């Protein structure tokens, strides 16, 4: 299906009904003003050109209205997060009531664990995938310690087998058979940051629930990349960020999913703040805490509107493109990348990301035996923005909104040249 030529890549771009979206983004350039090959949307997504207008609108409303902007701005600030909910929920396959944009990822992870990790003397262990992102590992370890458990005993790593790079579902099943009675929480990344492996969220959820465990997912590398179909997985909660595939800017706000069945459970403990309180009586000030139903009830503070404006801009672009269309392009684009890397026929190289589209998003993690960071530095000097993860992996993630087939082709050419 694929061919190893620039002509083929250009033809794919011509046939791509989403190719005009590239022009809606600021592409970083070199000193000569030429666009770099940006394959790093898994770390920081690019800036949509409309983002500055969305932010400026709020700056202007603030300048002109002051405090009145909370109610009188074109998009009033009091309910501003609500303008994001529906589109965000659609991207992750959730019902609007299950989703809220707030805080940042690790903060949300802790808030979710405050509510959903309620260990007992017998059922207290937490399972994470072995190469979970460090922040997730620190968060679960610190939750164990907070409840006076020793992470040495309480943290279970779902590991790839000796000599393998990917986690096998049957090994998670085995963990549950052996230790399920003492496990309280499965906290798994939906798509692993290092290997690019996407896990079967529904199967993991069903497995966890069979053993009466809570199941939560970190969608940092999933949201805007794969379709996690959150509601139907039945997961208890999920958290994600918006600065990667959701193109909402460095350090922008995260989001949170709480399954509908927990929407109004008075027994759930939580850390509370006034933004999670009943909107009708929030400003009466002297009421007892009355949590909003659904994910909104976990909000703490009134949120930063400027960051939310950037998220609104990005979600409008996703809505215009349609996630299904994006995913279709993504599968083809990453397939092309995979084909070209295989075509290098270089024995030092292996792709550790799964070969099957159901088990990956757009990222491929390319292991280069006995290479060091110098390889990555040379790619950078050649105009490729990718990233390097110790000990020997280059991660490249063609994002269907702004990457082209030609980007992918040029990347492979440069890699070939540098390896030779
Ligand atoms: C899987 C994963 N978890 C957590 C984080 C940390 O998120 P934050 O800094 O927004 O808390 C990241 C990336 O930064 C990540 O990729
Ligand atoms: N937020 C950042 C700030 C600085 C440097 C990297 C990040 C990342 O997001 C890294 C990303 N989570 C990763 O998968 O490597």
């Amino acid at each position: 299906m694929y061919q190893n030529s620039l002509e083929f890549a250009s033809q794919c771009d011509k046939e791509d009904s989403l190719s005009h979206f590239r022009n809606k983004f600021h592409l970083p350039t070199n000193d000569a003003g030429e666009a770099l090959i940006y394959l790093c949307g898994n770390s920081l997504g690019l800036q949509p050109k409309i983002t500055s207008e969305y932010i400026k609108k709020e700056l202007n409303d603030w300048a002109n209205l002051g405090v009145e902007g909370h109610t009188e701005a074109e998009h009033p600030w009091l309910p501003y997060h609500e303008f994001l909910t529906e589109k965000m929920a659609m991207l992750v396959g959730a019902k609007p009531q299950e989703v809220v944009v707030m805080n940042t990822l690790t903060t949300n992870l802790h808030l979710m664990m405050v509510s959903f990790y309620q260990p007992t003397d017998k059922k207290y262990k937490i399972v994470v995938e072995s190469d979970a992102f460090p922040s997730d590992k620190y968060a679960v370890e610190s939750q164990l310690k907070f409840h006076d458990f020793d992470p040495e005993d309480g943290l279970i790593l779902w590991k790839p087998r000796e000599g393998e790079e990917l986690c096998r579902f049957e090994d998670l099943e085995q963990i549950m058979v052996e230790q399920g009675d003492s496990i309280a929480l499965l906290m798994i990344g939906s798509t692993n940051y290092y290997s690019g492996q996407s896990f079967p969220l529904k199967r993991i959820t069903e497995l966890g629930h069979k053993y009466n465990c809570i199941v939560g997912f970190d969608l940092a590398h999933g949201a805007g990349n794969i379709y996690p179909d959150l509601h139907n997985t039945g997961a208890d909660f999920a958290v994600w960020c918006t600065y990667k595939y959701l193109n909402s800017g460095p350090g922008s706000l995260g989001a949170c999913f709480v399954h509908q069945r927990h929407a109004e459970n008075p027994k759930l403990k939580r850390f509370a703040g006034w933004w999670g309180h009943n909107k009708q009586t929030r400003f009466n000030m002297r009421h007892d805490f009355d949590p909003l139903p659904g994910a909104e009830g976990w909000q703490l503070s009134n949120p930063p509107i400027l960051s939310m404006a950037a998220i609104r801009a990005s979600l409008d672009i996703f809505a215009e493109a349609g996630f299904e269309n994006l995913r279709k392009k993504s599968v083809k684009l990453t397939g092309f990348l995979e084909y070209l890397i295989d075509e290098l026929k270089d024995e030092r190289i292996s792709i550790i990301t799964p070969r099957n589209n159901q088990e990956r998003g757009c990222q491929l993690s390319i292991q280069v035996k006995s290479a060091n960071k110098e390889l990555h530095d040379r790619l950078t000097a050649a105009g490729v923005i990718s990233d390097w993860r110790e000990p020997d992996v280059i991660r490249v993630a063609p994002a269907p909104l702004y990457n082209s087939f030609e980007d992918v082709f040029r990347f492979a050419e440069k890699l070939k040249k540098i390896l030779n």
Side-chain angles (χ1 to χ4, degrees):
M1 164 191 177
Y2 297 115
Q3 291 166 30
N4 188 355
S5 70
L6 181 58
E7 291 68 36
F8 177 79
S10 309
Q11 189 57 33
C12 289
D13 285 327
K14 277 199 201 101
E15 289 165 8
D16 169 18
S17 62
L18 298 174
S19 61
H20 59 291
F21 279 88
R22 179 178 175 89
N23 199 28
K24 293 180 189 285
F25 288 83
H26 292 287
L27 297 171
T29 53
N30 62 15
D31 293 343
E34 299 152 343
L36 299 170
I37 300 172
Y38 193 86
L39 296 172
C40 219
N42 55 347
S43 187
L44 184 73
L46 291 181
Q47 184 185 140
K49 290 177 182 166
I50 56 171
T51 299
S52 56
E53 289 163 35
Y54 280 58
I55 292 177
K56 255 186 228 145
K57 175 83 183 97
E58 302 314 323
L59 285 172
N60 288 342
D61 283 346
W62 176 27
N64 296 326
L65 299 166
V67 71
E68 305 273 86
H70 284 303
T71 51
E72 304 307 315
E74 189 182 331
H75 294 94
W77 304 328
L78 280 185
Y80 201 93
H81 71 273
E82 295 171 26
F83 306 136
L84 313 175
T85 302
E86 208 160 306
K87 287 182 179 136
M88 186 65 94
M90 244 163 61
L91 278 181
V92 294
K95 296 184 185 298
Q97 200 198 28
E98 296 174 318
V99 167
V100 67
V101 172
M102 63 178 189
N103 311 313
T104 45
L105 192 157
T106 310
T107 310
N108 287 337
L109 182 52
H110 277 298
L111 290 179
M112 289 294 101
M113 287 195 282
V114 163
S115 293
F116 292 104
Y117 175 56
Q118 295 290 336
T120 64
D121 288 349
K122 292 209 167 62
K123 206 167 170 62
Y124 59 92
K125 294 181 183 172
I126 304 179
V127 183
V128 296
E129 82 265 30
S130 73
D131 217 346
F133 196 78
S135 197
D136 296 22
K137 189 152 173 277
Y138 304 150
V140 294
E141 280 171 352
S142 62
Q143 286 282 337
L144 281 159
K145 287 185 193 160
F146 182 73
H147 289 281
D148 296 323
F149 295 105
D150 177 2
E152 284 285 328
D153 164 54
L155 186 66
I156 302 175
L157 300 180
W158 174 25
K159 287 186 201 145
R161 293 183 187 177
E162 189 71 33
E164 298 187 6
E165 296 288 342
L166 303 173
C167 296
R168 295 182 187 220
F169 181 73
E170 57 266 35
D171 293 345
L172 183 61
E173 283 180 311
Q174 193 55 34
I175 291 174
M176 298 310 286
V177 168
E178 287 165 12
Q179 303 184 65
D181 291 344
S182 60
I183 293 170
L185 170 67
L186 269 64
M187 178 58 230
I188 310 287
S190 76
T191 303
N192 181 267
Y193 86 101
Y194 180 73
S195 66
Q197 178 178 19
S198 285
F199 297 113
L201 306 191
K202 193 171 165 67
R203 289 179 77 194
I204 291 175
T205 306
E206 285 168 357
L207 176 65
H209 287 173
K210 193 170 129 192
Y211 288 86
N212 287 321
C213 303
I214 290 285
V215 180
F217 293 112
D218 175 346
L219 304 177
H221 287 259
N225 180 24
I226 55 147
Y227 183 64
D229 201 9
L230 276 179
H231 178 81
N232 289 330
T233 63
D236 295 284
F237 70 85
V239 293
W240 59 99
C241 60
T242 60
Y243 44 77
K244 298 178 190 292
Y245 298 106
L246 295 179
N247 306 320
S248 301
S252 69
L253 292 169
C256 195
F257 163 89
V258 178
H259 196 278
Q260 196 174 37
R261 68 178 168 277
H262 301 302
E264 292 186 70
N265 178 354
K267 285 196 200 126
L268 270 183
K269 293 181 189 174
R270 75 180 86 198
F271 283 175
W274 74 317
W275 229 249
H277 180 91
N278 183 342
K279 290 168 201 175
Q280 263 63 52
T281 57
R282 187 189 278 151
F283 284 87
N284 295 354
M285 300 308 200
R286 285 167 194 89
H287 285 269
D288 287 341
F289 181 62
D290 174 16
L292 289 163
E296 281 187 316
W298 271 266
Q299 294 173 106
L300 298 178
S301 304
N302 82 112
I305 299 301
L306 301 183
S307 177
M308 288 202 163
I311 299 174
R312 203 163 66 78
S314 169
L315 291 175
D316 282 353
I317 292 179
F318 270 92
E320 190 188 338
F323 188 75
E324 263 184 52
N325 302 328
L326 285 166
R327 182 64 188 146
K328 259 190 222 147
K329 173 175 173 183
S330 176
V331 165
K332 189 172 172 193
L333 198 58
T334 296
F336 186 44
L337 175 62
E338 178 181 38
Y339 164 82
L340 294 173
I341 293 167
D342 289 341
E343 281 291 291
L344 295 177
K345 299 191 178 19
D346 189 314
E347 281 178 3
R348 289 165 293 177
I349 283 190
S350 55
I351 296 174
I352 63 175
T353 308
R355 294 293 183 154
N356 166 358
N357 287 311
Q358 262 72 56
E359 294 177 66
R360 71 182 186 202
C362 71
Q363 171 183 324
L364 292 185
S365 303
I366 308 168
Q367 191 165 41
V368 190
K369 280 185 200 82
S370 67
N372 54 36
K373 194 170 174 299
E374 194 195 327
L375 173 69
H376 176 255
D377 294 343
R378 291 177 68 189
L379 271 171
T380 309
V384 175
I385 307 295
S386 60
D387 83 17
W388 176 259
R389 285 287 176 261
E390 294 295 342
D392 54 5
V393 164
I394 303 171
R395 300 186 310 169
V396 278
L401 269 174
Y402 49 77
N403 283 121
S404 63
F405 289 84
E406 199 174 315
D407 280 342
V408 164
F409 181 80
R410 291 193 189 282
F411 162 74
E413 287 288 285
K414 286 176 193 282
L415 181 62
K416 182 171 156 190
K417 203 166 155 198
I418 288 167
L419 285 169
N420 291 336

